[in-house]
Amino acid sequence: MEDLQNQWEAHLTESGLDDQARESKLAQQQAIKTSLESLLPPQEAVLVSLSRMGCSFTLGKPTVKLQEKGRLLAFLLLLQLGLSQLPQLFGYPFTDSTAVYYALEASFLIFPMLSIYHEGKPSKSVIRFILTLVILALVVNLQFKQGKQTGTLTVLHLPFLCILLSAFLQHESSREKQLLLHLQEVGETALLAFLLACAVGTLQLVATLLFESIGLSINKRLATFVLTGILPLLPLTALALKRTVVPHTKAFTRLLSRLFLVPLDLLMLAFLVSALLGSSTMGENRNLLFTVDGLLVLVVLMIFYAQASQTPRFPIILAISSILALLVDLFALFALGTRLFAYGFSPNRAAVLGENLLLALNLAFLAFQLSRNKPTDSLMARFFLVYGVWFLIVVLIFPPLFAYR
């Protein structure tokens, strides 16, 4: 019964209720349990109190289901690992010149496996998703030109396009709920994947040092195997861990979002003050523009994941974060305008311009909604769809539009 109690408390934490409502429900359940303990054994009192709070219980075979999931996971991991090593077996080694091709094909290797594990079987929605990826892979590979700006943009945007396409595997009543639920799961899975990547990097370093101590150099082979075989397995492994071993990662993701927003605000404020007081050369630094875009995307995602953990004061922090990010974005747009005036349009500049304009609109609407303490779920869902359309344009339309340069 202790497990049932813990699961119900975890469900309340993940349901998006504010602290006051959650504490009220917990107190109500505890009061019911206490009143029943004089009539029923303690375990039955817990069961009845949870039932009166709206919980339902079904008989099942969780062990069997877990074993089936485990066998499916092992099969998919082995299949993905085998497929990832096929190019090297057929004389296409991983080198500096071929690394971009490995990066391009990684999405088409990872996301089909994720979709099958997500559904537990190759359902109709999974088959439709995989067929969509097959068509996308054919078009992308036919258009891809190594060393060209459009090729680099395709490699960078393709994973985000696949993430948004896979949202339609969610079984919800509306597209809005599909996107929001999916992106919450993506954030939790990405967090676990990052932690796994840190563990893999640590093990790789230790193994390299150990073998070098006895005169064997394995660094090159090990690094190649980790990059081509192990790292692509981490998203699927992280999803499996989230579904089975570590199911309650949502609260942890929200906590990290809350903790990171304040340092990000300070960073953006310091950047704006330094840029205004100093002589900024941002327009001449292409890498800085990409870095700023990454920072703005991170802020938007932190706001998205932090909203469910709002306390009465927390929306103020979210509003401040969105306003500061909007100011940084406007500064980046001004710098990009000077770069466009000096050098003209190119695929990279067009992509950065489009993304900065979308981010500026997103942040402006977020700041407006958050300053009035209004929900932003519908707003974020609509903008995620717009981002998906933009990623599709960059991946499929940009190469022919800019003559594959």
Side-chain angles (χ1 to χ4, degrees):
M1 291 304 159
E2 184 178 352
D3 288 341
L4 287 175
Q5 178 76 33
N6 291 337
Q7 288 177 26
W8 183 69
E9 292 178 5
H11 169 73
L12 289 181
T13 302
E14 294 181 354
S15 62
L17 295 173
D18 57 35
D19 295 340
Q20 185 177 357
R22 186 170 63 251
E23 293 298 330
S24 175
K25 283 187 173 291
L26 286 172
Q28 186 179 352
Q29 185 262 336
Q30 289 296 321
I32 295 173
K33 181 172 75 72
T34 302
S35 66
L36 290 172
E37 283 177 345
S38 60
L39 304 172
L40 298 172
Q43 291 188 345
E44 293 183 24
V46 172
L47 190 63
V48 174
S49 67
L50 291 175
S51 178
R52 291 186 181 180
M53 293 302 297
C55 296
S56 59
F57 309 97
T58 57
L59 295 177
K61 298 179 180 179
T63 303
V64 174
K65 290 183 179 179
L66 192 60
Q67 290 174 352
E68 291 175 355
K69 276 285 190 180
R71 286 194 291 268
L72 177 62
L73 175 64
F75 171 75
L76 292 175
L77 288 173
L78 288 174
L79 177 61
Q80 184 177 326
L81 181 61
L83 291 174
S84 68
Q85 301 305 301
L86 283 179
Q88 297 186 71
L89 293 176
F90 286 94
Y92 198 76
F94 181 83
T95 62
D96 291 341
S97 60
T98 61
V100 65
Y101 289 102
Y102 278 84
L104 178 68
E105 308 303 337
S107 295
F108 303 121
L109 178 67
I110 293 169
F111 285 96
M113 306 301 173
L114 287 172
S115 66
I116 295 172
Y117 184 81
H118 178 275
E119 291 289 286
K121 58 182 179 180
S123 63
K124 290 183 180 179
S125 58
V126 169
I127 293 172
R128 284 196 299 268
F129 175 68
I130 292 176
L131 287 176
T132 302
L133 288 185
V134 170
I135 296 171
L136 186 62
L138 289 173
V139 176
V140 165
N141 279 277
L142 287 173
Q143 293 189 153
F144 185 75
K145 302 292 183 183
Q146 185 180 7
K148 304 298 183 180
Q149 290 185 16
T150 54
T152 304
L153 290 172
T154 297
V155 172
L156 292 175
H157 289 80
L158 184 58
F160 299 104
L161 175 60
C162 291
I163 286 173
L164 290 172
L165 285 176
S166 60
F168 300 104
L169 292 170
Q170 299 285 352
H171 302 288
E172 292 295 327
S173 57
S174 68
R175 291 291 169 84
E176 179 183 316
K177 289 184 178 180
Q178 280 182 322
L179 277 169
L180 295 175
L181 180 63
H182 176 67
L183 289 167
Q184 286 172 0
E185 186 171 59
V186 166
E188 297 161 28
T189 304
L191 175 62
L192 288 175
F194 173 75
L195 296 175
L196 289 172
C198 293
V200 169
T202 303
L203 288 174
Q204 180 184 349
L205 178 61
V206 171
T208 301
L209 293 175
L210 282 176
F211 279 91
E212 283 183 352
S213 68
I214 57 174
L216 294 176
S217 178
I218 64 166
N219 187 42
K220 186 175 181 179
R221 289 184 179 179
L222 181 60
T224 298
F225 181 68
V226 168
L227 288 172
T228 62
I230 301 301
L231 290 184
L233 296 177
L234 297 187
L236 179 55
T237 306
L239 179 61
L241 287 173
K242 181 198 171 299
R243 293 287 183 85
T244 54
V245 183
V246 196
H248 307 304
T249 53
K250 187 178 293 185
F252 186 44
T253 307
R254 293 169 183 165
L255 175 63
L256 284 181
S257 300
R258 179 189 292 190
L259 292 175
F260 272 100
L261 269 176
V262 175
L264 282 174
D265 289 348
L266 295 175
L267 175 63
M268 289 187 292
L269 183 61
F271 173 78
L272 287 170
V273 171
S274 301
L276 290 173
L277 295 179
S279 56
S280 173
T281 59
M282 187 174 176
E284 302 172 9
N285 192 333
R286 182 179 61 185
N287 293 331
L288 181 56
L289 287 171
F290 281 117
T291 303
V292 169
D293 276 356
L295 173 65
L296 296 174
V297 170
L298 182 61
V299 172
V300 170
L301 290 175
M302 291 297 102
I303 292 173
F304 172 71
Y305 290 120
Q307 283 182 87
S309 61
Q310 290 178 3
T311 61
R313 291 186 176 181
F314 201 58
I316 298 175
I317 299 178
L318 298 181
I320 292 172
S321 299
S322 58
I323 292 170
L324 285 172
L326 177 60
L327 292 175
V328 172
D329 195 11
L330 293 176
F331 185 80
L333 280 170
F334 175 78
L336 181 60
T338 61
R339 190 172 178 84
L340 286 172
F341 182 77
Y343 303 106
F345 266 92
S346 72
N348 280 341
R349 293 180 204 117
V352 173
L353 176 62
E355 282 149 22
N356 277 105
L357 288 173
L358 286 178
L359 285 167
L361 286 173
N362 193 353
L363 289 164
F365 280 110
L366 271 177
F368 179 70
Q369 289 288 90
L370 291 169
S371 63
R372 300 188 303 153
N373 199 13
K374 298 290 185 180
T376 60
D377 288 352
S378 297
L379 172 69
M380 294 301 292
R382 294 190 187 100
F383 266 101
F384 285 137
L385 281 174
V386 174
Y387 288 130
V389 173
W390 177 250
F391 296 151
L392 190 65
I393 291 172
V394 173
V395 169
L396 297 182
I397 307 300
F398 266 40
L401 181 63
F402 287 97
Y404 304 99
R405 60 187 175 94

